[in-house]
């Protein structure tokens, strides 16, 4: 493996933290241009394939031919387009560095063709979506770029050269009006829209880490008078202490869910730099928390994990001597070809032994079961494991795969069918680990991307709907093909992950619709509750301490109440119609008062004036003309006699406004309001849509979730799982109680494989720390 593939040689560890500001800017420029240039890597070949497939499926030969000619011309100009694209991005950095901003472009009025208008609208839509998606990373980047500008000596506000508008408009400027026929235009921009978010996510993460490292290094140099060696950006440093009031708190990882693996169309380029960062920021934070991120000469992650793994295995074997392979008698270690032969034989065998471990029916470690199955296979091939023991590297691969798969089950809500799917993948992933352990280091590894896609398809999927069952079945078929076809070519994993990712994109669009519907339903209910509470107060204030005839009181308590609720919902509480509806009730009270004083002519005039408003009120209650006339006749009869009995009317009890079933996760103490810390509640009020969460059930199992919507009326948060299904609707105070009880963790949600790697590291580290503490005691 190339040295650049090691975590120790990652981009965050190349430069010292005290580098000059101009070198920091040059690093930002180089990293951004390199990464964003990858948007067009393999772009036109992918478009050409889509056009070819569309031509086969379509019936408009002339339009298809026009698209094919246009995309072929663009493919021939691919190098020129890529160069112009990179140049546009470099120009933004030059403008940012210039003493004066570029002169404004003359804003003359001109007519745009329909094609130009469509391109501009598509670009604007992409920019708006990216601005919203990367709101918090961009805000942090703006602040750090402003600090960098101050260090360089630049004054005045400057546009962020990495804002989403830069690559989008650079892409738009590549084309003339006649370069993209109508049929090709949507395909090109859809492909660009799919590729850009994942790359922007990495660009912002890397840029923020670079700027943070530079600012920390500069502060240290000024404080101590000299440059000090430091570890990886963002992992070795701790933020300055601040008063914890909740007002300046920023949730870990910002508010946008990790999306590095969300795009199956990103090609892994054959270059020294990986398409994705070596490790997720979350795992780097875990390493830093255990003292491995601040080493002067950081070691690569593979060695760190293996050291912990060896300590864990030595402790386990010492405690349980029967666990693991039999001690060799000095014979030659088992060769890789022999081990792969056994794994190939096991790849098509019954995976139920692994499935039983994953769901907890078998209490052994999965690595132990894998090892037993390998030894059984060796004996069937006539190899004595006692004479040919496993190599230490092979032992590492077995244990890592075992802990990895168990960690995936612990970190996600995986059910029955997921158990079967995962158990079939154990042996193929063992073969990958035996031959290429970069899977544990590199987030762009094809096998890693497939496991991410499979987990997203299965996480929280109960198969209740036809779409859910179809997604599970499709994931199962993809995994079956991997099991059948994988020998040594990892392209099998890449093709499988791309296919499953396409299906996940369709599911995600359906989930977005379901989320909007759920949010609309909750919002509608909250508006109704708010209107009913307001109307209840109005009605109670009119009925209290007033003696009214029973007919007028009944009208106010029933029909007028309903009418007020309808006008408040439809027109708003401050609308003229709602204010007029309030006036109808007040007028009826005045009519009743005048009737009690035998003011017959005034009562008659007032009832005539109220004829139309009363008709509208009764109509809003669903009463027909005859029923409305009967109701008015009863009121007139009651008001005709001054001595009609009158009394203070008590409003009728209303239905429970909070009759929405409470989420089971909120029932921490049945019958009691959950207790919460005010500081934590203040933090929860700062969360935004897209914030990642980890939900922990009664058994300690975690699952990924995020905030899909925040009510503008009550500030309640709609929390959904990875597939957009509702998990709970909570107020900031209720969420604070769940956080305080350890049932919710507020942090960015990494890709499933990254989460499993964090669990793997934490499990090994905790086990070894516990063993060392016991030995010391």
């Amino acid at each position: 493996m190339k040295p650049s593939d090691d975590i120790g040689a990652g981009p965050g560890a190349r430069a010292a933290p005290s580098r000059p500001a101009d070198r920091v800017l040059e690093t930002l420029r180089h990293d951004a241009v390199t990464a964003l240039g990858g948007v067009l890597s393999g772009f036109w070949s992918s478009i050409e394939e889509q056009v070819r497939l569309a031509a086969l499926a379509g019936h408009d030969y002339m339009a298809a031919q026009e698209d094919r000619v246009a995309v072929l011309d663009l493919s021939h100009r691919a190098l020129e387009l890529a160069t112009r694209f990179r140049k546009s991005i470099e120009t933004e950095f030059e403008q940012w560095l210039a003493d004066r901003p570029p002169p404004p472009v003359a804003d003359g009025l001109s007519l745009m063709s329909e094609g130009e208008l469509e391109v501009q609208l598509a670009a604007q839509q992409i920019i708006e979506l990216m601005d919203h998606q990367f709101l918090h990373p961009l805000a942090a980047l703006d602040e750090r770029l402003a600090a960098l500008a101050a260090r360089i000596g630049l004054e005045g506000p400057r546009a962020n050269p990495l804002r989403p508008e830069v690559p989008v408009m650079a892409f738009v400027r590549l084309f003339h009006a006649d370069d993209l026929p109508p049929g090709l235009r949507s395909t090109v921009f859809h492909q660009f829209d799919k590729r850009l978010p994942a790359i922007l996510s990495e660009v912002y993460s890397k840029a923020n880490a670079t700027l943070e490292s530079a600012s920390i290094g500069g502060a240290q140099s000024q404080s101590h008078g000299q440059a000090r060696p430091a570890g990886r950006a963002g992992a070795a440093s701790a933020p300055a202490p601040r008063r914890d009031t909740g007002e300046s708190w920023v949730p870990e990882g910002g508010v946008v869910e990790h999306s590095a693996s969300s795009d199956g169309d990103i090609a892994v380029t054959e270059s020294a730099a990986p398409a994705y960062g070596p490790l997720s920021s979350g795992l780097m934070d875990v390493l830093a928390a255990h003292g491995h991120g601040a080493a002067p000469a950081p070691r690569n992650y593979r060695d760190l994990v293996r050291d912990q793994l060896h300590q864990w295995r030595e402790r386990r074997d010492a405690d349980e001597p029967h666990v693991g392979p039999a001690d060799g008698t000095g014979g030659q270690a088992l060769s890789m070809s022999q081990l792969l032969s056994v794994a190939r034989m096991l790849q098509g065998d019954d995976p139920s032994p692994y499935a039983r471990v994953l769901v907890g029916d078998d209490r052994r470690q999965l690595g132990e079961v894998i090892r037993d199955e390998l030894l059984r296979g060796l004996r069937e091939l006539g190899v004595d494991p006692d004479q040919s023991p496993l190599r230490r590297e092979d032992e590492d691969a077995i244990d890592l795969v075992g802990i990895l798969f168990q960690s995936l089950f612990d970190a996600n809500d995986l059910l029955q069918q997921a158990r079967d799917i995962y158990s079939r993948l154990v042996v193929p992933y063992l073969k990958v680990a035996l031959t290429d352990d970069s899977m544990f280091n590199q987030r762009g590894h094809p096998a890693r991307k497939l496991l991410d896609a499979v987990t997203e398809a299965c996480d929280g999927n109960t198969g209740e709907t036809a779409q859910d069952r179809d997604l599970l079945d499709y994931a199962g078929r993809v995994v079956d093909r991997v099991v059948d076809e994988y020998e040594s070519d990892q392209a099998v994993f890449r093709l499988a992950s791309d296919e499953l990712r396409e299906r996940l994109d369709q599911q995600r669009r359906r989930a977005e619709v379901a989320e909007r519907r759920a949010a609309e339903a909750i919002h509608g209910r909250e508006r109704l509750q708010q209107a009913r509470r307001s109307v209840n107060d109005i009605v109670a204030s009119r009925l209290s301490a007033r003696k009214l005839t029973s007919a007028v009181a009944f009208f106010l308590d029933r029909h007028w109440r309903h009418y007020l609720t309808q006008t408040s919902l439809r027109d708003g509480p401050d609308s003229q119609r709602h204010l007029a509806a309030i006036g109808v009730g007040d007028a009826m009270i005045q009519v009743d008062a005048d009737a009690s004083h035998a003011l017959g002519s005034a009562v008659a005039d007032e009832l005539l004036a109220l004829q139309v408003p009363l008709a509208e009120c009764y109509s809003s209650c669903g009463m027909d003309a005859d029923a409305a006339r009967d109701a008015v006749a009863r009121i007139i009869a009651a008001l005709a006699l001054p001595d009609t009995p009158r009394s203070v009317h008590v409003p009728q009890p209303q239905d429970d406004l909070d009759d929405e079933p409470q989420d089971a996760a909120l029932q921490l103490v049945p019958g009691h309001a959950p207790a919460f810390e005010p500081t934590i509640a203040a933090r929860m009020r700062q969360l935004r849509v897209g914030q990642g969460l980890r939900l922990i059930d009664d058994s300690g199992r975690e699952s990924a979730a995020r905030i899909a919507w925040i009510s503008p009326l009550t500030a309640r948060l709609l929390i959904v799982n990875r597939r957009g299904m509702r998990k709970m609707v909570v107020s900031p105070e209720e969420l604070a109680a769940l956080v305080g009880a350890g049932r919710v963790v507020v942090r960015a949600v990494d890709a499933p494989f990254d989460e499993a790697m964090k669990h793997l590291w934490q499990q090994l580290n905790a086990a070894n720390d516990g063993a060392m503490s016991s030995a010391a005691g």
Side-chain angles (χ1 to χ4, degrees), residues 235-371:
S237 60
R242 62 180 64 177
R243 188 177 61 176
D244 188 10
T245 62
E247 298 178 357
S248 57
W249 174 77
V250 177
E252 176 191 344
V255 300
V256 178
E257 182 172 353
H258 184 275
S259 58
S261 65
S262 63
D263 183 8
D265 293 321
I266 300 296
V268 179
T269 56
E270 296 295 334
S271 63
Y276 299 87
L279 296 179
S280 70
S281 59
L283 182 51
M284 292 173 67
D285 291 342
V286 171
L287 291 173
H290 290 92
H292 295 287
R299 307 163 59 198
N300 72 68
Y301 176 66
R302 184 190 305 106
D303 292 339
L304 292 173
V305 171
R306 281 181 170 170
D307 284 351
Q308 293 283 358
L309 188 63
H310 296 161
Q311 296 178 32
W312 172 77
R313 192 160 55 235
E314 290 170 1
R315 180 189 58 80
R316 181 201 63 186
D317 293 345
D319 294 340
E320 304 177 37
H322 64 282
V323 175
D327 295 334
T329 58
Q332 186 175 5
L334 194 68
S335 68
M336 178 62 71
S337 61
Q338 289 176 306
L339 193 56
L340 289 177
S341 297
V342 178
R344 191 176 299 113
M345 179 183 69
L346 295 177
Q347 189 163 319
D349 278 2
D350 177 19
S352 59
Y354 317 123
R356 287 193 293 271
V357 176
L358 291 176
V359 298
D361 293 341
D362 188 338
R363 295 298 181 181
R364 293 180 295 171
Q365 295 288 334
L366 181 57
E368 180 185 350
V369 175
I370 295 173
R371 190 177 287 106

Side-chain angles (χ1 to χ4, degrees), residues 46 191 194-195 263-267 449 498 501-502 505:
S46 177
Q191 182 76 355
K194 291 178 66 177
R195 286 173 168 247
D263 183 8
D265 293 321
I266 300 296
K449 294 174 69 178
D498 288 348
R501 185 62 62 186
E502 287 291 335
D505 289 341

Side-chain angles (χ1 to χ4, degrees), residues 68-306:
R68 296 186 67 178
V69 170
V71 76
L72 284 174
D73 178 61
L74 292 169
S75 298
H76 294 154
R77 296 166 51 202
L79 182 58
E80 171 210 341
L81 296 175
T83 302
R84 287 169 52 197
F85 183 75
R86 294 164 63 98
K87 181 61 178 175
S88 295
I89 298 169
E90 291 177 344
T91 301
E92 286 292 330
F93 280 90
E94 295 171 1
Q95 293 177 355
W96 184 88
L97 192 58
D99 290 337
R100 295 185 178 88
V105 180
D107 189 15
L109 295 177
S110 62
L111 293 177
M112 299 179 67
S113 67
E114 183 178 351
E116 291 173 327
L117 182 59
E118 288 185 6
V119 168
Q120 291 297 325
L121 290 176
Q124 188 61 36
Q125 183 179 15
I126 295 174
I127 292 170
E128 291 176 357
L129 289 174
M130 296 300 100
D131 283 339
H132 176 73
Q133 180 176 352
F134 298 107
L135 178 64
H136 279 249
L138 280 170
L141 190 58
D142 287 342
E143 293 179 1
R144 288 165 176 156
L145 282 172
L148 180 65
R151 290 173 59 188
I152 295 176
L154 304 176
E155 298 180 355
R158 295 169 185 272
N160 186 341
L162 293 176
R163 64 193 187 278
E165 180 185 0
V166 172
V168 174
M169 297 311 299
F171 185 74
V172 169
R173 288 192 290 267
L174 296 179
F175 311 108
H176 298 295
D178 55 351
D179 282 345
L180 298 175
L184 183 62
R185 192 177 301 129
S186 61
T187 303
V188 167
F189 275 89
H190 179 66
Q191 182 76 355
F192 181 75
D193 188 23
K194 291 178 66 177
R195 286 173 168 247
L196 184 61
I199 292 182
L200 277 181
S201 176
E202 294 298 319
V203 168
Y204 294 152
S205 176
K206 194 171 183 180
N208 274 312
T210 300
L211 289 168
E212 183 182 11
S213 175
S215 63
I216 292 171
Q220 289 176 342
S221 297
Q222 295 172 6
S223 174
H224 299 288
Q226 60 181 358
R228 291 187 177 183
R232 202 170 294 107
S237 60
R242 62 180 64 177
R243 188 177 61 176
D244 188 10
T245 62
E247 298 178 357
S248 57
W249 174 77
V250 177
E252 176 191 344
V255 300
V256 178
E257 182 172 353
H258 184 275
S259 58
S261 65
S262 63
D263 183 8
D265 293 321
I266 300 296
V268 179
T269 56
E270 296 295 334
S271 63
Y276 299 87
L279 296 179
S280 70
S281 59
L283 182 51
M284 292 173 67
D285 291 342
V286 171
L287 291 173
H290 290 92
H292 295 287
R299 307 163 59 198
N300 72 68
Y301 176 66
R302 184 190 305 106
D303 292 339
L304 292 173
V305 171
R306 281 181 170 170

Side-chain angles (χ1 to χ4, degrees), residues 18-28 96-97 147-153 211 214:
S18 59
R19 53 192 171 184
D22 54 351
R23 185 176 176 185
V24 175
L25 181 62
E26 183 58 34
T27 300
L28 288 178
W96 184 88
L97 192 58
L148 180 65
R151 290 173 59 188
I152 295 176
L211 289 168

